[in-house]
Amino acid sequence: LAVSPDNEHVHFNAAHFYLKQHNSEKSREHFERFMALSDDRKRREGVEKLLEQISDQDRLNALFNEAYDFIKLGNEEEGIDKISAFLEKNPEVWNAWFLLGWAHRRLSQYRKGKEAFERALEIGPAHSDTLNELAICLLELQQYEQCRKTLERALKIEPENVKIISNLGILELKEKNLDEAGACFRSVLELSPDDPIAQNYLEYIDAERGTV
């Protein structure tokens, strides 16, 4: 490009190079420069199709990012609309299913959240965050046995994650296992001494035992 900046073949190959690297901005830049320079009808037709695909993917990426922003800012309904539109075109993107589950869980729509997180785990990696979110839904749906298995699976991946340990403590409380719950929350405080959730639950457990 430095030697021959107006060489259509160089721009054509550079565009494909960036396309393989998932750099749509640079790929589009070189394809558009190729279109301005080239009279090759067959190649131009192929490039036009690729530019359309790049534009479509950019719009989908924007939908994904908008969905994340809406959910993070507490506008879950809008986020669900955006990520559902994304999933219509990209149903095999696991983290889109995670976003959908996250939004439903934040709206206390635990069954829908459970289904979305399970789909994310079917097609994607077993991330501890996905497992933990699924466990929260299972806990609220009172599916305690499956919740325990899910949290234990998450702990194998990330054994010092205080959110997972806290949720296991809450599960123990739901099942009236005060000693086990207390052990969980004390473990949380060992890892995060100022954790207010663990402190509050330990005070609650002490009150239940009549020691306060």
Side-chain angles (χ1 to χ4, degrees), residues 122-149:
E122 282 177 12
I123 61 177
H127 278 308
S128 59
D129 284 343
T130 310
L131 291 164
N132 188 51
E133 289 286 345
L134 173 59
I136 293 171
C137 294
L138 293 167
L139 184 68
E140 296 295 337
L141 292 169
Q142 299 183 1
Q143 298 179 18
Y144 296 146
E145 182 179 354
Q146 190 61 34
C147 176
R148 183 179 297 279
K149 290 178 181 178

mmCIF file of all heavy atoms in Angstrom, residues 122-149:
data_model
loop_
_atom_site.group_PDB
_atom_site.id
_atom_site.type_symbol
_atom_site.label_atom_id
_atom_site.label_comp_id
_atom_site.label_asym_id
_atom_site.label_seq_id
_atom_site.Cartn_x
_atom_site.Cartn_y
_atom_site.Cartn_z
ATOM 1 N N GLU A 122 -25.707 -24.802 26.896
ATOM 2 C CA GLU A 122 -25.760 -25.838 25.861
ATOM 3 C C GLU A 122 -24.818 -25.529 24.711
ATOM 4 O O GLU A 122 -24.171 -26.428 24.175
ATOM 5 C CB GLU A 122 -27.188 -25.966 25.322
ATOM 6 C CG GLU A 122 -28.143 -26.737 26.208
ATOM 7 C CD GLU A 122 -29.553 -26.748 25.634
ATOM 8 O OE1 GLU A 122 -29.715 -26.363 24.447
ATOM 9 O OE2 GLU A 122 -30.488 -27.114 26.359
ATOM 10 N N ILE A 123 -24.763 -24.272 24.311
ATOM 11 C CA ILE A 123 -24.016 -23.920 23.106
ATOM 12 C C ILE A 123 -22.698 -23.212 23.399
ATOM 13 O O ILE A 123 -21.893 -22.994 22.487
ATOM 14 C CB ILE A 123 -24.865 -23.039 22.165
ATOM 15 C CG1 ILE A 123 -25.258 -21.725 22.836
ATOM 16 C CG2 ILE A 123 -26.100 -23.784 21.694
ATOM 17 C CD1 ILE A 123 -26.039 -20.779 21.928
ATOM 18 N N GLY A 124 -22.457 -22.859 24.654
ATOM 19 C CA GLY A 124 -21.243 -22.126 24.996
ATOM 20 C C GLY A 124 -20.473 -22.775 26.132
ATOM 21 O O GLY A 124 -20.821 -23.865 26.593
ATOM 22 N N PRO A 125 -19.437 -22.104 26.609
ATOM 23 C CA PRO A 125 -18.614 -22.653 27.695
ATOM 24 C C PRO A 125 -19.332 -22.599 29.037
ATOM 25 O O PRO A 125 -20.275 -21.826 29.219
ATOM 26 C CB PRO A 125 -17.394 -21.726 27.686
ATOM 27 C CG PRO A 125 -17.913 -20.435 27.133
ATOM 28 C CD PRO A 125 -18.955 -20.796 26.126
ATOM 29 N N ALA A 126 -18.868 -23.416 29.961
ATOM 30 C CA ALA A 126 -19.471 -23.459 31.298
ATOM 31 C C ALA A 126 -18.814 -22.405 32.182
ATOM 32 O O ALA A 126 -18.042 -22.708 33.089
ATOM 33 C CB ALA A 126 -19.303 -24.850 31.900
ATOM 34 N N HIS A 127 -19.135 -21.149 31.930
ATOM 35 C CA HIS A 127 -18.592 -20.059 32.749
ATOM 36 C C HIS A 127 -19.253 -20.059 34.119
ATOM 37 O O HIS A 127 -20.444 -20.331 34.256
ATOM 38 C CB HIS A 127 -18.841 -18.714 32.064
ATOM 39 C CG HIS A 127 -17.842 -18.366 31.009
ATOM 40 N ND1 HIS A 127 -16.488 -18.386 31.229
ATOM 41 C CD2 HIS A 127 -18.007 -17.991 29.713
ATOM 42 C CE1 HIS A 127 -15.858 -18.030 30.118
ATOM 43 N NE2 HIS A 127 -16.754 -17.799 29.183
ATOM 44 N N SER A 128 -18.467 -19.704 35.125
ATOM 45 C CA SER A 128 -18.999 -19.673 36.493
ATOM 46 C C SER A 128 -20.113 -18.638 36.626
ATOM 47 O O SER A 128 -21.070 -18.848 37.372
ATOM 48 C CB SER A 128 -17.873 -19.381 37.487
ATOM 49 O OG SER A 128 -17.246 -18.144 37.196
ATOM 50 N N ASP A 129 -20.008 -17.514 35.905
ATOM 51 C CA ASP A 129 -21.063 -16.490 35.983
ATOM 52 C C ASP A 129 -22.393 -17.026 35.461
ATOM 53 O O ASP A 129 -23.448 -16.760 36.043
ATOM 54 C CB ASP A 129 -20.662 -15.249 35.170
ATOM 55 C CG ASP A 129 -19.621 -14.399 35.868
ATOM 56 O OD1 ASP A 129 -19.447 -14.572 37.095
ATOM 57 O OD2 ASP A 129 -18.991 -13.568 35.206
ATOM 58 N N THR A 130 -22.343 -17.773 34.358
ATOM 59 C CA THR A 130 -23.571 -18.342 33.804
ATOM 60 C C THR A 130 -24.175 -19.343 34.777
ATOM 61 O O THR A 130 -25.390 -19.342 35.012
ATOM 62 C CB THR A 130 -23.291 -19.034 32.455
ATOM 63 O OG1 THR A 130 -22.545 -18.152 31.612
ATOM 64 C CG2 THR A 130 -24.586 -19.413 31.762
ATOM 65 N N LEU A 131 -23.327 -20.193 35.342
ATOM 66 C CA LEU A 131 -23.806 -21.194 36.298
ATOM 67 C C LEU A 131 -24.382 -20.525 37.539
ATOM 68 O O LEU A 131 -25.415 -20.956 38.067
ATOM 69 C CB LEU A 131 -22.661 -22.132 36.670
ATOM 70 C CG LEU A 131 -22.193 -23.067 35.555
ATOM 71 C CD1 LEU A 131 -20.823 -23.651 35.890
ATOM 72 C CD2 LEU A 131 -23.203 -24.187 35.329
ATOM 73 N N ASN A 132 -23.740 -19.473 38.008
ATOM 74 C CA ASN A 132 -24.227 -18.774 39.199
ATOM 75 C C ASN A 132 -25.580 -18.115 38.939
ATOM 76 O O ASN A 132 -26.495 -18.182 39.770
ATOM 77 C CB ASN A 132 -23.210 -17.728 39.635
ATOM 78 C CG ASN A 132 -23.569 -17.102 40.966
ATOM 79 O OD1 ASN A 132 -23.832 -17.795 41.947
ATOM 80 N ND2 ASN A 132 -23.591 -15.778 41.013
ATOM 81 N N GLU A 133 -25.724 -17.490 37.778
ATOM 82 C CA GLU A 133 -27.008 -16.872 37.426
ATOM 83 C C GLU A 133 -28.108 -17.924 37.291
ATOM 84 O O GLU A 133 -29.246 -17.720 37.733
ATOM 85 C CB GLU A 133 -26.870 -16.075 36.125
ATOM 86 C CG GLU A 133 -26.057 -14.805 36.244
ATOM 87 C CD GLU A 133 -26.808 -13.694 36.965
ATOM 88 O OE1 GLU A 133 -28.039 -13.800 37.119
ATOM 89 O OE2 GLU A 133 -26.159 -12.719 37.378
ATOM 90 N N LEU A 134 -27.773 -19.046 36.678
ATOM 91 C CA LEU A 134 -28.739 -20.146 36.564
ATOM 92 C C LEU A 134 -29.142 -20.631 37.953
ATOM 93 O O LEU A 134 -30.331 -20.890 38.220
ATOM 94 C CB LEU A 134 -28.135 -21.295 35.752
ATOM 95 C CG LEU A 134 -28.952 -22.590 35.691
ATOM 96 C CD1 LEU A 134 -30.336 -22.352 35.100
ATOM 97 C CD2 LEU A 134 -28.199 -23.654 34.897
ATOM 98 N N ALA A 135 -28.171 -20.741 38.859
ATOM 99 C CA ALA A 135 -28.456 -21.197 40.221
ATOM 100 C C ALA A 135 -29.415 -20.261 40.939
ATOM 101 O O ALA A 135 -30.287 -20.704 41.696
ATOM 102 C CB ALA A 135 -27.156 -21.339 41.007
ATOM 103 N N ILE A 136 -29.278 -18.946 40.710
ATOM 104 C CA ILE A 136 -30.191 -17.988 41.334
ATOM 105 C C ILE A 136 -31.624 -18.248 40.882
ATOM 106 O O ILE A 136 -32.565 -18.249 41.678
ATOM 107 C CB ILE A 136 -29.776 -16.537 40.993
ATOM 108 C CG1 ILE A 136 -28.430 -16.211 41.648
ATOM 109 C CG2 ILE A 136 -30.841 -15.543 41.456
ATOM 110 C CD1 ILE A 136 -27.827 -14.892 41.188
ATOM 111 N N CYS A 137 -31.790 -18.488 39.584
ATOM 112 C CA CYS A 137 -33.127 -18.781 39.061
ATOM 113 C C CYS A 137 -33.674 -20.072 39.666
ATOM 114 O O CYS A 137 -34.844 -20.147 40.059
ATOM 115 C CB CYS A 137 -33.085 -18.891 37.536
ATOM 116 S SG CYS A 137 -32.690 -17.335 36.697
ATOM 117 N N LEU A 138 -32.831 -21.096 39.749
ATOM 118 C CA LEU A 138 -33.256 -22.376 40.317
ATOM 119 C C LEU A 138 -33.627 -22.222 41.787
ATOM 120 O O LEU A 138 -34.587 -22.843 42.267
ATOM 121 C CB LEU A 138 -32.136 -23.405 40.153
ATOM 122 C CG LEU A 138 -31.827 -23.833 38.716
ATOM 123 C CD1 LEU A 138 -30.504 -24.593 38.660
ATOM 124 C CD2 LEU A 138 -32.951 -24.705 38.158
ATOM 125 N N LEU A 139 -32.875 -21.385 42.493
ATOM 126 C CA LEU A 139 -33.167 -21.128 43.905
ATOM 127 C C LEU A 139 -34.542 -20.495 44.067
ATOM 128 O O LEU A 139 -35.349 -20.921 44.905
ATOM 129 C CB LEU A 139 -32.091 -20.201 44.479
ATOM 130 C CG LEU A 139 -32.167 -19.889 45.967
ATOM 131 C CD1 LEU A 139 -31.856 -21.120 46.797
ATOM 132 C CD2 LEU A 139 -31.192 -18.760 46.312
ATOM 133 N N GLU A 140 -34.840 -19.499 43.242
ATOM 134 C CA GLU A 140 -36.125 -18.811 43.326
ATOM 135 C C GLU A 140 -37.282 -19.701 42.867
ATOM 136 O O GLU A 140 -38.417 -19.527 43.309
ATOM 137 C CB GLU A 140 -36.089 -17.528 42.496
ATOM 138 C CG GLU A 140 -35.099 -16.490 42.986
ATOM 139 C CD GLU A 140 -35.446 -15.947 44.362
ATOM 140 O OE1 GLU A 140 -36.633 -16.025 44.766
ATOM 141 O OE2 GLU A 140 -34.542 -15.435 45.047
ATOM 142 N N LEU A 141 -36.976 -20.653 41.993
ATOM 143 C CA LEU A 141 -37.993 -21.606 41.535
ATOM 144 C C LEU A 141 -38.134 -22.793 42.494
ATOM 145 O O LEU A 141 -38.898 -23.731 42.231
ATOM 146 C CB LEU A 141 -37.641 -22.112 40.133
ATOM 147 C CG LEU A 141 -37.726 -21.065 39.009
ATOM 148 C CD1 LEU A 141 -37.087 -21.608 37.734
ATOM 149 C CD2 LEU A 141 -39.173 -20.661 38.744
ATOM 150 N N GLN A 142 -37.355 -22.754 43.595
ATOM 151 C CA GLN A 142 -37.363 -23.793 44.633
ATOM 152 C C GLN A 142 -36.928 -25.155 44.082
ATOM 153 O O GLN A 142 -37.332 -26.200 44.588
ATOM 154 C CB GLN A 142 -38.744 -23.888 45.293
ATOM 155 C CG GLN A 142 -39.154 -22.596 45.979
ATOM 156 C CD GLN A 142 -40.479 -22.682 46.700
ATOM 157 O OE1 GLN A 142 -41.134 -23.722 46.735
ATOM 158 N NE2 GLN A 142 -40.905 -21.579 47.309
ATOM 159 N N GLN A 143 -36.091 -25.135 43.093
ATOM 160 C CA GLN A 143 -35.504 -26.368 42.562
ATOM 161 C C GLN A 143 -34.137 -26.540 43.237
ATOM 162 O O GLN A 143 -33.082 -26.374 42.628
ATOM 163 C CB GLN A 143 -35.398 -26.279 41.041
ATOM 164 C CG GLN A 143 -36.756 -26.142 40.358
ATOM 165 C CD GLN A 143 -36.650 -26.017 38.848
ATOM 166 O OE1 GLN A 143 -35.638 -26.342 38.239
ATOM 167 N NE2 GLN A 143 -37.725 -25.539 38.228
ATOM 168 N N TYR A 144 -34.201 -26.874 44.519
ATOM 169 C CA TYR A 144 -33.017 -26.797 45.373
ATOM 170 C C TYR A 144 -31.936 -27.817 45.014
ATOM 171 O O TYR A 144 -30.739 -27.504 45.053
ATOM 172 C CB TYR A 144 -33.421 -26.948 46.840
ATOM 173 C CG TYR A 144 -34.310 -25.842 47.344
ATOM 174 C CD1 TYR A 144 -35.303 -26.093 48.287
ATOM 175 C CD2 TYR A 144 -34.168 -24.540 46.882
ATOM 176 C CE1 TYR A 144 -36.132 -25.072 48.755
ATOM 177 C CE2 TYR A 144 -34.988 -23.518 47.342
ATOM 178 C CZ TYR A 144 -35.962 -23.795 48.268
ATOM 179 O OH TYR A 144 -36.783 -22.782 48.717
ATOM 180 N N GLU A 145 -32.325 -29.023 44.668
ATOM 181 C CA GLU A 145 -31.325 -30.048 44.352
ATOM 182 C C GLU A 145 -30.512 -29.640 43.116
ATOM 183 O O GLU A 145 -29.281 -29.731 43.108
ATOM 184 C CB GLU A 145 -32.006 -31.401 44.118
ATOM 185 C CG GLU A 145 -31.009 -32.519 43.825
ATOM 186 C CD GLU A 145 -31.696 -33.870 43.627
ATOM 187 O OE1 GLU A 145 -32.928 -33.953 43.825
ATOM 188 O OE2 GLU A 145 -30.994 -34.826 43.281
ATOM 189 N N GLN A 146 -31.213 -29.165 42.086
ATOM 190 C CA GLN A 146 -30.530 -28.743 40.872
ATOM 191 C C GLN A 146 -29.712 -27.482 41.117
ATOM 192 O O GLN A 146 -28.627 -27.310 40.550
ATOM 193 C CB GLN A 146 -31.544 -28.499 39.744
ATOM 194 C CG GLN A 146 -30.918 -28.297 38.380
ATOM 195 C CD GLN A 146 -30.129 -29.503 37.914
ATOM 196 O OE1 GLN A 146 -30.479 -30.643 38.201
ATOM 197 N NE2 GLN A 146 -29.048 -29.248 37.190
ATOM 198 N N CYS A 147 -30.220 -26.620 41.994
ATOM 199 C CA CYS A 147 -29.486 -25.408 42.363
ATOM 200 C C CYS A 147 -28.145 -25.779 43.012
ATOM 201 O O CYS A 147 -27.100 -25.216 42.675
ATOM 202 C CB CYS A 147 -30.325 -24.561 43.308
ATOM 203 S SG CYS A 147 -29.482 -23.078 43.917
ATOM 204 N N ARG A 148 -28.179 -26.737 43.923
ATOM 205 C CA ARG A 148 -26.957 -27.156 44.615
ATOM 206 C C ARG A 148 -25.934 -27.709 43.617
ATOM 207 O O ARG A 148 -24.752 -27.368 43.660
ATOM 208 C CB ARG A 148 -27.288 -28.198 45.682
ATOM 209 C CG ARG A 148 -26.065 -28.647 46.498
ATOM 210 C CD ARG A 148 -26.469 -29.668 47.557
ATOM 211 N NE ARG A 148 -27.398 -29.083 48.518
ATOM 212 C CZ ARG A 148 -27.033 -28.318 49.538
ATOM 213 N NH1 ARG A 148 -25.749 -28.038 49.720
ATOM 214 N NH2 ARG A 148 -27.936 -27.846 50.372
ATOM 215 N N LYS A 149 -26.399 -28.564 42.726
ATOM 216 C CA LYS A 149 -25.490 -29.149 41.731
ATOM 217 C C LYS A 149 -24.863 -28.064 40.862
ATOM 218 O O LYS A 149 -23.682 -28.131 40.522
ATOM 219 C CB LYS A 149 -26.246 -30.145 40.859
ATOM 220 C CG LYS A 149 -26.649 -31.427 41.573
ATOM 221 C CD LYS A 149 -27.435 -32.333 40.643
ATOM 222 C CE LYS A 149 -27.862 -33.616 41.347
ATOM 223 N NZ LYS A 149 -28.682 -34.491 40.458
#
